[in-house]
Amino acid sequence: MKEFLPLAEVYAILEPGPVVLLSTAQAGRANLMPMSWHCMLEFEPPQVGCVVSAANHSFKALEATGECVLNVPSAELLDQLVACGNSHGDQVDKFARYGLTALPSAQVAVPRVEECWANLECRVIDRQLVGSYDFFVLEVVQAWHDPTVQAPRTLHHRGYGRFMIAGEEVQTTSKMR
C-alpha cells in the first residue's frame, strides 16, 4: 500500500539526470559546484536549462560572465563531487584542494575538468527566469567526451547524501536517429 510522501522529498523522485560539476570562472578564479537541477530543452543546437541558486558563489560568476562548463563525472569521482558541494568557492580553490585538473576550454573562458568523462562548454542564452527561479538557459557551444567510456556510471542525487549510480543499459527499437 502506498503512503503519503513529504513534498520536500519529491525532487528525489524526479531527479532529472546525472549530477554534474558546474565550472565557472570570474576574474581569473575558477570554481566548481555540484548541480543536479538541470534538463535538456532542445536537441540542435543543444540547450540545457538549469537552476543555480543565487545563494551560491557560482551564481555570481555565471550571472556576470554568462559562461560555464557542465562536467559529467562518473562514480569514481563521488568523493570529490561531495567535497566540492560541502565547501565554498569563495574560500577554497576546489580544483587544487580536491585533486581535479583544470583544462582550457575551446569556446568559453571557463576550465573543464579533465577527470570527468564528458564536458559541455556553455553560454547563457536566456535569463528570463533567473529573477524568479534562478533558472538559466544555456546553449552548448562545444562538447567533449572520452570515447573509451561506453557506459558511464553516472551519479544521480537522491537527497540527503544519497546517490544512485546508473546501472544496466537496455536497447529497444527507436525511430530517433
Side-chain angles (χ1 to χ4, degrees):
M1 179 169 176
K2 294 181 182 167
E3 59 184 45
F4 287 110
L5 178 71
L7 295 178
E9 296 178 24
V10 167
Y11 77 93
I13 293 172
L14 295 178
E15 184 276 323
V19 178
V20 299
L21 277 170
L22 173 76
S23 56
T24 55
Q26 185 178 18
R29 184 171 169 90
N31 188 41
L32 293 167
M33 178 194 95
M35 179 178 71
S36 60
W37 292 7
H38 54 80
C39 59
M40 287 300 303
L41 297 175
E42 187 58 71
F43 292 106
E44 289 186 45
Q47 294 176 0
V48 178
C50 66
V51 174
V52 180
S53 170
N56 290 329
H57 182 66
S58 296
F59 178 93
K60 294 169 191 66
L62 185 57
E63 176 94 309
T65 68
E67 296 184 336
C68 65
V69 177
L70 304 178
N71 302 281
V72 187
S74 56
E76 294 75 21
L77 292 178
L78 176 62
D79 291 341
Q80 288 100 322
L81 179 101
V82 170
C84 284
N86 289 330
S87 58
H88 299 283
D90 57 346
Q91 298 170 2
V92 63
D93 176 345
K94 295 181 187 182
F95 280 96
R97 168 84 49 95
Y98 305 118
L100 298 169
T101 309
L103 293 177
S105 292
Q107 301 293 322
V108 298
V110 175
R112 296 177 286 133
V113 178
E114 179 177 29
E115 291 78 9
C116 289
W117 75 274
N119 315 94
L120 308 175
E121 299 180 27
C122 302
R123 287 198 181 99
V124 174
I125 60 168
D126 191 332
R127 300 168 190 258
Q128 291 181 64
L129 298 175
V130 172
S132 300
Y133 301 104
D134 298 339
F135 188 86
F136 292 86
V137 178
L138 311 172
E139 181 176 325
V140 179
V141 295
Q142 180 74 48
W144 306 81
H145 77 110
D146 180 344
T148 66
V149 179
Q150 296 300 309
R153 297 176 60 233
T154 54
L155 296 160
H156 300 262
H157 189 238
R158 297 296 309 266
Y160 307 103
R162 294 177 317 204
F163 291 84
M164 186 168 39
I165 298 174
E168 181 181 357
E169 185 175 296
V170 296
Q171 178 70 50
T172 66
T173 58
S174 172
K175 292 184 181 184
M176 270 184 96
R177 296 186 193 271

